[in-house]
Amino acid sequence: DSFLSLNGHWKFGLYENPDEVPEAAWQKGKIDRDWEEIELPGAWSLQGWDRPHYTNVQMPFAEEPGKTPAANPTGVHRLRFALPPEMRGRRVLLHVGAAESVLHVHLNGHGVGLSKDSKLAAEFDLTEFLESGENLLVLTVVRFSDASFLEDQDHWNFGGVHLDISLRATALDGWIT
């Protein structure tokens, strides 16, 4: 297996809610030219955007269970990378160690998948969307979801990508090793 860490500096944009994220955020255009950088893994609320919230018995918003607040911080993380030669022609998996709360993954403008398992690892098969030159990986994290009510127990709530991000290449056929 080949491995490539994607930890480091990513372009970052924070929006008030998911509906305000422009579709261009997932495309290869130059939208991120004026964006600031953020260190991943890391919570945006610990790097100068938004703020953390400690939850024990009080939810960070007043909605009924299953509903999310209108002000629902949404972070868009963009990284341009070239696939190393040893990974070409192989199955390539993206590993995201943890994100809070909803994670949407786009590669080169294509929706790859999503995870709603806050603070748990998720993997995505990027193979069919990879290009031979520059690739654009976009991780969009929505801070609150309908599952936030289930996660409401003695913890700090931080929006962002919390653990390592990496690519792993395996054989195209057979079992993933």
Side-chain angles (χ1 to χ4, degrees), residues 68-126:
T68 57
N72 191 357
T74 302
V76 181
H77 310 79
R78 292 169 52 103
L79 180 71
R80 296 172 190 278
F81 70 94
L83 193 66
E86 65 273 12
M87 289 188 168
R88 293 188 185 132
R90 301 174 71 193
R91 175 177 285 136
V92 177
L93 302 175
L94 168 68
H95 175 86
V96 179
E100 186 174 334
S101 166
V102 178
L103 169 67
H104 295 266
V105 176
H106 287 81
L107 181 66
N108 298 323
H110 301 280
V112 176
L114 72 94
S115 172
K116 261 176 75 171
D117 293 331
S118 189
K119 298 188 180 178
L120 294 177
E123 288 197 338
F124 305 89
D125 189 341
L126 302 182

Side-chain angles (χ1 to χ4, degrees), residues 4-6 10 28 78-84 87-88 92 94 106-108 126 129-138 167:
L4 176 66
S5 173
L6 298 179
W10 290 55
K28 271 192 155 180
R78 292 169 52 103
L79 180 71
R80 296 172 190 278
F81 70 94
L83 193 66
M87 289 188 168
R88 293 188 185 132
V92 177
L94 168 68
H106 287 81
L107 181 66
N108 298 323
L126 302 182
F129 305 114
L130 285 165
E131 297 177 3
S132 59
E134 180 184 81
N135 288 278
L136 174 66
L137 178 62
V138 181
L167 297 180

Side-chain angles (χ1 to χ4, degrees), residues 4-14 35-47 49 75-80 94-100 103-105 136-141 158-166:
L4 176 66
S5 173
L6 298 179
N7 293 346
H9 296 283
W10 290 55
K11 291 293 190 171
F12 180 72
L14 185 65
W35 286 15
E36 295 188 45
E37 287 192 344
I38 193 169
E39 187 75 23
L40 291 185
W44 66 64
S45 53
L46 298 178
Q47 297 184 56
W49 292 276
V76 181
H77 310 79
R78 292 169 52 103
L79 180 71
R80 296 172 190 278
L94 168 68
H95 175 86
V96 179
E100 186 174 334
L103 169 67
H104 295 266
V105 176
L136 174 66
L137 178 62
V138 181
L139 304 180
T140 303
V141 178
F158 302 105
V161 179
H162 298 247
L163 295 174
D164 292 335
I165 308 123
S166 61

